Amino acid sequence: MSEYFQNELVKEILSKYRTIWSLSHALSLMEWDMETYMPREGVNERGVAIAELSVLARKHLLDEKFIELVDRASLREDLNDYERGVIRVLKRDIEWNRKIPESVVYELARIRPNAHEAWVEAKRKNDFNIFKPYLEKIVDLVRKVSESVGYDEHPYDPLVDHYEEGLTTKKVDELFASLKLKIRPMVDKITREGKYPKHHKLEELAYDVNEAKALINRLLNLVGYPEGRGRVDESPHPFTIDLGRKDVRITVRYEGKDIKRPIYSAIHEFGHALYELQVDENLEFTPVARGVSLGVHESQSRFWENIVGRSYGFIKLIYGDFERTITSVRPESPLDLYLYVNTVRPSLIRVDADEVTYNAHIIVRFELEKMLINNEIEVGDLPELWAELYEKYLGVAPPTYSEGVLQDVHWSGGMIGYFPTYSIGTLLSAQIKYAVEREHRKSIDEILLAGEIGAIRNWLKERIHRFGSTYPPNVLLRKALGEELNPEYFIRYIEEKYSNVPEF
Ligand code: MG
């Protein structure tokens, strides 16, 4: 047991926790396999296995003796920060699981693989009705989760708090209310000034998948994805999964056209992976050995994808590699490549959206989810409302379900309440940029061009990653950045970046 954990009660808790950790390790591997290589027809058996193991893990967590140990430890005043973190995370987890009936846990776990399969097929065939009955069941179960956990103000509250400790529907409402007013004017201004293009001709070009893979490998090497502690696979929806600190895997999706999509999605997932990879080794096998919340997690992926990946410095760094590796898509110059990866326009697909319009995609999903969980609308209303809200916030409407309501994997996994964390992360990523620059007295561009990308990784490790879930998100942010989430940094970042095109 690591030196961070000295308290005898905490040590006993951690030793019992090993079983839960191992079950969650196995579940992650099964999840990864399900979304990558599992034969399609294995889906039903996988559903049963995942549900049974989830219920088993829950039994260990809710074991009376285990809870008693955690309760006793929570009364101790001599615990260090790491020990307190372990107890905080376990108490949260116990509370959540204790309130939700086992049958709901089982049913949700049981239906997810089948729902995932149905979603893949529905999206491929552009047929919402294939997915609809599964989504109805899932929404019904998630409504039960919310009712079981309970809330003071809004049934969506327990769901957002589950993904982002301390977040409430009201806080998201307030955040989005001001953001909503700023997105359209920012996009209009950028479009009017015409320095950044709305479209780029390279977006229309097919690429060679093997070349794309080769470039992605080089780029992952450049940003520092460590050999031997992860792997890159393919899946219908890109994701990162940590089996532990030393096995953090990412996936990429190759659609064959518009090479910036797989490139930036790989850099995005790398940002998630790096968080897990840089958690302090002393926290291994404990409940705090992973990223603290999905918002903070997403700040890491968005930071690497946008703040680093779409910067002048990064394009300067990678242009040679791009030119040498990719013969199927030829930018005319570094400036041309920079403009290609920084087009700005209202679009249909969230994961491919530019950083200026991105949050509008999240606002649409948040509004729909909130109404869904509050029984104001039903699953059958989603396609039409989706189109209406896209028209309202982005001025575009999807011609197909695949490019609309079926585009994201999350609902098939029961992940409702998750989307707001994408905006939290996007806003935070800009806040992190200014914090890194303040401390280094250099811009991100200057750091990259000085060959000091490792200094960025190290800053993230020291300020954020190494703590895992030791501190709640807001405490971590105050320690790392000197303040909690402040959306003004994002607005400033967009205004600064898009008012000028750098000289190459
Ligand atoms: Mg992400």
Side-chain angles (χ1 to χ4, degrees):
M1 191 81 45
S2 99
E3 61 192 55
Y4 286 17
F5 302 101
Q6 296 295 334
N7 181 282
E8 290 304 323
L9 256 180
V10 175
K11 277 159 92 169
E12 195 182 342
I13 288 166
L14 288 179
S15 121
K16 286 191 185 299
Y17 181 76
R18 280 283 165 113
T19 312
I20 298 171
W21 182 90
S22 303
L23 284 167
S24 127
H25 181 83
L27 282 162
S28 295
L29 184 59
M30 288 157 74
E31 190 88 35
W32 168 82
D33 172 71
M34 185 179 92
E35 296 202 31
T36 50
Y37 299 112
M38 188 183 75
R40 204 164 36 83
E41 292 190 17
V43 71
N44 203 45
E45 289 161 335
R46 183 58 50 88
V48 171
I50 287 179
E52 291 289 338
L53 288 190
S54 302
V55 166
L56 185 58
R58 180 177 178 276
K59 282 203 174 92
H60 283 281
L61 187 72
L62 298 185
D63 175 80
E64 271 178 40
K65 278 195 195 120
F66 188 70
I67 294 182
E68 197 214 311
L69 287 172
V70 173
D71 282 342
R72 266 168 58 205
S74 71
L75 299 173
R76 297 288 295 249
E77 283 174 5
D78 57 346
L79 303 185
N80 66 33
D81 284 10
Y82 299 107
E83 293 166 336
R84 256 201 296 269
V86 164
I87 302 305
R88 184 191 98 259
V89 170
L90 283 177
K91 275 193 90 82
R92 246 176 85 78
D93 218 9
I94 288 168
E95 277 305 289
W96 175 263
N97 276 280
R98 188 148 58 176
K99 288 178 178 165
I100 304 169
E102 184 184 293
S103 60
V104 173
V105 173
Y106 187 91
E107 277 306 307
L108 252 180
R110 173 80 184 79
I111 196 176
R112 288 176 62 210
N114 293 291
H116 180 263
E117 192 61 28
W119 166 73
V120 172
E121 194 193 342
K123 190 179 170 192
R124 186 162 41 83
K125 295 185 176 161
N126 185 35
D127 184 352
F128 183 67
N129 283 325
I130 296 175
F131 183 45
K132 189 171 168 249
Y134 291 92
L135 187 55
E136 279 168 342
K137 181 84 185 133
I138 283 174
V139 167
D140 183 47
L141 287 164
V142 175
R143 281 172 180 161
K144 282 184 185 148
V145 167
S146 159
E147 290 305 322
S148 312
V149 176
Y151 50 84
D152 290 331
E153 290 186 3
H154 198 287
Y156 195 67
D157 283 343
L159 307 177
V160 273
D161 178 80
H162 181 58
Y163 295 113
E164 191 68 26
E165 190 176 345
L167 191 62
T168 62
T169 313
K170 194 167 164 233
K171 284 187 196 168
V172 183
D173 270 328
E174 286 166 3
L175 189 65
F176 285 172
S178 67
L179 208 52
K180 252 186 253 185
L181 302 175
K182 290 174 182 155
I183 297 173
R184 282 296 273 273
M186 287 194 301
V187 179
D188 291 346
K189 180 169 181 278
I190 294 165
T191 310
R192 207 170 46 240
E193 292 180 350
K195 292 173 185 161
Y196 285 76
K198 285 176 79 171
H199 294 272
H200 194 286
K201 59 182 189 307
L202 297 184
E203 290 175 341
E204 300 307 320
L205 291 189
Y207 57 82
D208 180 299
V209 172
N210 287 325
E211 288 182 356
K213 283 184 185 172
L215 179 64
I216 283 171
N217 280 336
R218 279 170 192 272
L219 297 183
L220 288 174
N221 198 22
L222 170 75
V223 290
Y225 189 51
E227 185 104 14
R229 290 180 67 191
R231 47 180 293 139
V232 185
D233 294 280
E234 288 177 48
S235 68
H237 200 99
F239 66 94
T240 301
I241 194 158
D242 63 300
L243 305 192
R245 287 183 57 265
K246 289 183 177 158
D247 184 350
V248 187
R249 307 174 183 197
I250 66 173
T251 67
V252 185
R253 155 175 81 190
Y254 297 100
E255 290 150 315
K257 203 181 95 170
D258 198 3
I259 197 168
K260 70 181 174 187
R261 293 191 192 184
I263 290 175
Y264 282 88
S265 126
I267 299 173
H268 176 100
E269 300 306 332
F270 160 77
H272 282 302
L274 188 68
Y275 191 175
E276 301 295 338
L277 290 162
Q278 296 206 116
V279 169
D280 192 317
E281 188 153 15
N282 287 292
L283 303 181
E284 203 165 44
F285 300 122
T286 74
V288 294
R290 55 194 332 194
V292 65
S293 70
L294 291 178
V296 178
H297 233 296
E298 193 70 7
S299 74
Q300 301 307 297
S301 52
R302 301 291 282 166
F303 177 83
W304 285 95
E305 176 190 356
N306 294 328
I307 306 291
V308 174
R310 295 185 206 275
S311 70
Y312 161 78
F314 194 72
I315 295 301
K316 283 276 258 196
L317 271 190
I318 70 162
Y319 187 74
D321 265 342
F322 192 103
E323 235 191 346
R324 275 189 295 278
T325 319
I326 308 294
T327 60
S328 43
V329 180
R330 311 289 298 181
E332 286 163 16
S333 63
L335 171 63
D336 195 38
L337 181 59
Y338 175 82
L339 292 175
Y340 165 50
V341 306
N342 282 299
T343 53
V344 177
R345 67 168 182 278
S347 61
L348 294 168
I349 308 294
R350 175 185 62 85
V351 293
D352 299 320
D354 60 79
E355 50 192 352
V356 186
T357 57
Y358 183 84
N359 289 309
H361 294 257
I362 303 304
I363 294 171
V364 169
R365 287 155 178 78
F366 167 67
E367 294 193 356
L368 292 175
E369 287 188 342
K370 212 172 51 164
M371 290 190 283
L372 207 50
I373 293 304
N374 203 23
N375 290 291
E376 291 168 58
I377 59 170
E378 290 305 323
V379 168
D381 303 323
L382 286 172
E384 201 179 311
L385 287 172
W386 183 284
E388 262 176 41
L389 289 176
Y390 260 77
E391 191 63 60
K392 180 175 170 190
Y393 292 124
L394 285 143
V396 291
T400 65
Y401 296 129
S402 309
E403 291 163 282
V405 68
L406 288 175
Q407 67 181 268
D408 291 310
V409 67
H410 305 66
W411 291 344
S412 75
M415 291 182 275
I416 298 176
Y418 184 127
F419 282 117
T421 66
Y422 283 146
S423 278
I424 305 269
T426 300
L427 301 173
L428 273 177
S429 69
Q431 200 166 338
I432 291 170
K433 164 192 149 78
Y434 289 106
V436 171
E437 292 183 339
R438 260 196 320 268
E439 192 153 320
H440 289 86
R441 296 167 190 274
K442 273 184 197 168
S443 68
I444 294 288
D445 288 331
E446 287 164 340
I447 296 172
L448 291 173
L449 293 175
E452 293 167 355
I453 201 166
I456 298 177
R457 279 199 305 272
N458 206 42
W459 190 94
L460 295 170
K461 178 182 177 183
E462 289 305 316
R463 295 308 185 89
I464 297 171
H465 298 171
R466 69 185 174 99
F467 299 112
S469 312
T470 300
Y471 303 108
N474 281 340
V475 175
L476 177 70
L477 293 179
R478 280 198 301 269
K479 286 170 82 79
L481 307 171
E483 59 184 318
E484 293 179 19
L485 172 68
N486 178 351
E488 289 309 314
Y489 289 100
F490 175 75
I491 304 297
R492 175 178 157 197
Y493 160 65
I494 295 297
E495 283 173 357
E496 284 178 3
K497 173 168 177 178
Y498 290 93
S499 61
N500 277 306
V501 171
E503 254 181 64
F504 278 84

